[in-house]
Amino acid sequence: MIRMNKFIKLAIATCIIFSHSSNLYARDKLDIKGFLTIAGYHSSNDNLGFQPHLSSSDVGYKGDDEYLTLSKVGLQLNYQLSTQFELVGQIVAQKEVVVDNSDRIKIATLNYSPTSSLLFRIGRFAPRTYLLSDSRLIGYSNNEVIPNHDFYAQLPLSYVNGADLTYNFGLSDGVGTASIFTGRTEVNINATDGNTLNSKFKNLLGFNLEYQTNNWLYRFGYTQSQLANSWEQVDTAIQFLTLVSQDYPSPLVSWTEGKEFVEAYRVKDKWFRYKTLAVQYDNSIWRVRAEIGDLAADSSNIPKNKNAYVSFSRTFDQFTPFLTLSAIKTSSPRTFSKPDEGLVQFLSAQSNQNLAFGLQQVFQFAETSAYNQKSISLGVRYDFALRQDIKLQFERKHVEAIGSNLWVVKDFSKIKDEYVSLIMFSYDRVF
Amino acid sequence: MNIRILIGLICFVFSSVASAEILVIVNKNNPISSMSKQEIIYIYTGRLMAFSNGEQAQPIDLYDGSQEKATFYKITTGKRLSQINSYWAKLSFTGRLKPPLALETQQAAVEYVVNNANAIAYIDEKYLTDDVKVVFRLDS
């Protein structure tokens, strides 16, 4: 079903109004520019709901034509206060899960450049967690309709409130860039059962090292953060897990690994660590880009994932066909012993709760919570006019039965290994 | 007769291409006397916004419809204008970098370089004046 609403109409109107301008407004001090993407996709599966990333507002099943999730229009204002100070603001209108409307402000920084090689920013900005971190919303800057799903969907961090420092330096024949950022962020994540998990991150600290020489780019990134809050579902489970994990006198059999299990199950104050390594070769005709990532977390509720992609593109005048291969794989979680059945029955009777059911849910989640899928993607970008393109992309994904956490599952009883096809298109422009 | 006209036309076309040499210019007071192609690429792609002496560089671009702009980027970076625009879209919407200031005419670019000590621009050699310094010639 095609759903045209005010957003699409606004986007089309914006596109027509600015169709002949290369920049909305550009003078010495003030620069206003914008970007627009009108995009859609169609998925082939009726049990696994596709979401481009874990904070998507909408989910696409077979028969749905989704337009609003990928479409967006953004405006950015740069105001030069002096030779060293600049104000930057960016607002993006798109259908997304937000904590409040201020989330639509993606950038609000005071930039300070004491020298040409140093940039210090304070305010709100995109975290540079991986290669495409702070440009992945801009459809026109990428060949693909959306950033690689297997790689970029699991960490939907859209902004950091904090500070960052970037230093550029010449090194041999190339240019090096070192950057460090810190701050806090908050994001709503869609769980595979459709529930929303509000996650506040504190003590966010990341650094990147990048080196570009001739046609090559190498990049390493490391980010760590602590979850500042807990999730309601986890708190509920912790209550009865704490009861079961106590030491009980004989003849009851205590759960020897219980306390360890409860500690590992908590999410509040647990650390996340994410490392990426990227290499790109770009000679203006051929571009090959590869990136690998490794997500580790101290909580058993967060899958530990390794993911990677490699993409090839070749530019023939206005056409750029591309091929991308990618995968994400969850490491096997540490296994724990289960509590004694007699103990569970005794405690259930004492507390008047169905503890066996609760424990079954907790262990089932621990055993099935994973991201295991691989994909092949083929597409073409057509730059039919300056600052405008259209793209068409076909993607085929193999999602393992235990491994569908990037999707919203309609019926868990029907879950099995699946092949899912996606057709995506977009029209992008900057103005 | 037709062949002569054809040869004449070919000669005319090639002679106009050859004469349209693009020069990279800086302010006359800039101590830099020459630049490498790689340095120019780094400045015009935002990788390093400084001259080799460490002084800040302020690159000046031409508007999108300019043939000199297309030629300049094709020869220096090997990229088409759409690729350059896509590249700058990636950088400028991060809020960290701004693309070079684009001016409407080459005369305006020369004037800007004359009035700004850190400016660098590219122009067709027919717009060259004694008020600026040539630091690189693009082989077309």
Side-chain angles (χ1 to χ4, degrees), chain A residues 76 111 134 173 212 284 387, chain B residues 42 64 77 83 92 95-96:
Chain A
Q76 182 172 309
N111 294 8
D134 46 2
D173 288 338
Q212 295 181 72
S284 302
R387 299 174 190 266
Chain B
Y42 284 159
D64 268 356
T77 67
Q83 291 175 296
S92 59
R96 287 184 281 116

Side-chain angles (χ1 to χ4, degrees), chain B residues 21-61:
Chain B
E21 193 169 20
I22 291 178
L23 312 175
V24 177
I25 55 168
V26 297
N27 186 283
K28 211 150 194 185
N29 295 324
N30 192 322
I32 301 292
S33 56
S34 68
M35 293 178 72
S36 69
K37 190 164 120 182
Q38 197 62 54
E39 285 174 310
I40 292 163
I41 292 172
Y42 284 159
I43 287 173
Y44 271 89
T45 54
R47 294 181 191 176
L48 206 56
M49 302 297 278
F51 294 105
S52 56
N53 61 358
E55 284 296 314
Q56 186 165 7
Q58 192 184 356
I60 299 302
D61 226 334

Side-chain angles (χ1 to χ4, degrees), chain B residues 58-108:
Chain B
Q58 192 184 356
I60 299 302
D61 226 334
L62 295 175
Y63 67 103
D64 268 356
S66 152
Q67 182 57 45
E68 285 76 14
K69 181 173 184 176
T71 307
F72 171 77
Y73 280 107
K74 191 71 189 166
I75 294 173
T76 51
T77 67
K79 291 186 190 300
R80 294 165 49 84
L81 270 190
S82 56
Q83 291 175 296
I84 287 293
N85 286 338
S86 175
Y87 172 85
W88 271 110
K90 186 165 73 178
L91 291 183
S92 59
F93 288 112
T94 66
R96 287 184 281 116
L97 287 169
K98 277 201 301 190
L101 179 66
L103 299 179
E104 287 294 317
T105 65
Q106 298 183 65
Q107 291 96 326

Side-chain angles (χ1 to χ4, degrees), chain A residues 295-368:
Chain A
L295 174 68
D298 291 344
S299 171
S300 61
N301 264 302
I302 317 294
K304 287 88 184 156
N305 302 319
K306 288 184 170 48
N307 51 3
Y309 69 86
V310 56
S311 75
F312 307 87
S313 64
R314 207 293 187 187
T315 298
F316 299 91
D317 290 329
Q318 294 166 294
F319 291 91
T320 304
F322 58 86
L323 163 72
T324 305
L325 305 168
S326 57
I328 181 167
K329 180 92 183 153
T330 296
S331 311
S332 300
R334 183 188 159 188
T335 52
F336 287 90
S337 62
K338 292 182 181 172
D340 179 70
E341 280 184 27
L343 174 70
V344 175
Q345 281 173 6
F346 172 79
L347 294 174
S348 293
Q350 290 282 309
S351 63
N352 206 20
Q353 296 179 71
N354 188 351
L355 295 179
F357 178 75
L359 284 164
Q360 185 200 347
Q361 296 285 306
V362 166
F363 278 101
Q364 189 178 2
F365 178 78
E367 287 159 8
T368 60

